[in-house]
Amino acid sequence: MRIIVLMKEVPDTYGERKLNLETGLAERGASEAVLDEIGERALELALTQAASLEDAEITVVSMAPETATATLRKALAMGADKLVHIADENLVGADLGLTAEVLAAAIRRTGFDLVIAGNLSTDGYGGVLPAMIAELLGVPYASALTTVDISADRVSGTREADGGVMTVAAPLPAVISITERFPAGRFPNFKGIMAAKKKPVETLTAADLEIDPEGLETPRSIMLAVSERPARSAGTKIVDEGDAGEKLAEFLIQNRLA
């Protein structure tokens, strides 16, 4: 069983995040870089399920700058078997379409039975990358799962919906995404950290994947404008002088809330 886990390096969610108003890109040096928490949860799921699967091999695939190698090695210390790191300066600022194309090419090159991803990254909040990758790979996609069961030839799980729970299943190979309902990733122990130093790390470029970021005839997406989020302003305060109800009704009507 060849399991691919998609992970990425992101600015620490507890740190201050800044957007470069000229490029529209997040300033990665503004706060400490860490593994995305939802990616750690995806890896934890893979490690837990691998214990009951025959010949399970877990490969982490990530598209990130060369400087992210140290961060990504944490995935190996947690228990992943291999790391495929796509590092190419030409891919800086890649949109979701190009990112999906690159990751799909790397996954296809590595070989897979199941791809596990988080449903939403904490830096981009795109939420569509797993679906795009599944489309490019031509395999089924089960999204936003809250429980997962993996067998030799299929994957199944549940997805929460308004007023109920959906049970879904797909034959392998397939792509799935999970939510934060899954347990947090395990903390690497000393043995895992030492073992990670001997595990294989493959570094690829866009050229290795036969992708030319500079040769795109039509941009997948175009940024029209970027601006800083306005400072939060004080809300409207209504003092009750016997007519608070009328003032509240007027406020709701003026703001088309009633």
Side-chain angles (χ1 to χ4, degrees):
M1 171 74 70
R2 298 166 298 173
I3 301 176
I4 301 286
V5 178
L6 299 181
M7 303 186 75
K8 67 184 301 188
E9 182 188 68
V10 298
D12 192 344
T13 53
Y14 293 101
E16 183 180 0
R17 297 187 178 191
K18 295 182 179 180
L19 194 68
N20 188 308
L21 299 184
E22 294 183 2
T23 64
L25 303 176
E27 294 185 352
R28 298 287 172 174
S31 60
E32 182 183 357
V34 298
L35 284 179
D36 199 355
E37 183 180 331
I38 193 66
E40 291 187 353
R41 293 177 189 270
L43 178 56
E44 181 63 29
L45 167 63
L47 294 170
T48 302
Q49 293 278 326
S52 60
L53 298 171
E54 185 176 353
D55 298 327
E57 181 182 64
I58 301 173
T59 302
V60 168
V61 174
S62 180
M63 190 178 97
E66 291 184 9
T67 54
T69 302
T71 303
L72 294 170
R73 278 191 176 274
K74 179 184 177 182
L76 298 177
M78 290 172 65
D81 299 300
K82 296 190 301 183
L83 169 64
V84 175
H85 181 189
I86 304 114
D88 193 322
E89 290 185 359
N90 292 320
L91 295 172
V92 174
D95 64 6
L96 288 167
L98 179 56
T99 300
E101 184 178 337
V102 170
L103 290 174
I107 293 168
R108 194 181 296 111
R109 184 179 189 272
T110 303
F112 72 102
D113 294 300
L114 178 65
V115 178
I116 305 177
N119 65 326
L120 197 68
S121 66
T122 57
D123 60 343
Y125 293 99
V128 296
L129 198 61
M132 297 173 79
I133 291 173
E135 178 70 16
L136 290 169
L137 294 175
V139 299
Y141 172 50
S143 63
L145 300 182
T146 54
T147 66
V148 170
D149 182 60
I150 306 169
S151 64
D153 58 356
R154 74 195 296 264
V155 59
S156 60
T158 56
R159 177 196 302 132
E160 294 184 357
D162 292 340
V165 176
M166 302 168 61
T167 300
V168 298
L172 299 181
V175 176
I176 65 171
S177 65
I178 65 166
T179 70
E180 292 187 349
R181 286 295 187 93
F182 282 84
R186 64 191 64 184
F187 191 81
N189 55 31
F190 180 75
K191 182 179 179 181
I193 294 172
M194 296 304 294
K197 297 179 179 180
K198 300 180 180 179
K199 293 180 178 180
V201 177
E202 184 178 16
T203 303
L204 303 174
T205 64
D208 294 327
L209 299 171
E210 300 181 355
I211 295 174
D212 182 10
E214 300 296 332
L216 302 176
E217 295 181 0
T218 305
R220 290 164 170 75
S221 61
I222 301 174
M223 182 180 68
L224 299 178
V226 59
S227 60
E228 190 171 357
R229 179 184 295 175
R232 182 178 295 179
S233 59
T236 301
K237 185 177 181 179
I238 295 177
V239 179
D240 188 5
E241 296 177 346
D243 58 351
E246 294 178 3
K247 291 180 179 179
L248 180 58
E250 289 179 6
F251 175 83
L252 294 174
I253 293 171
Q254 289 175 0
N255 291 275
R256 297 182 178 182
L257 300 174

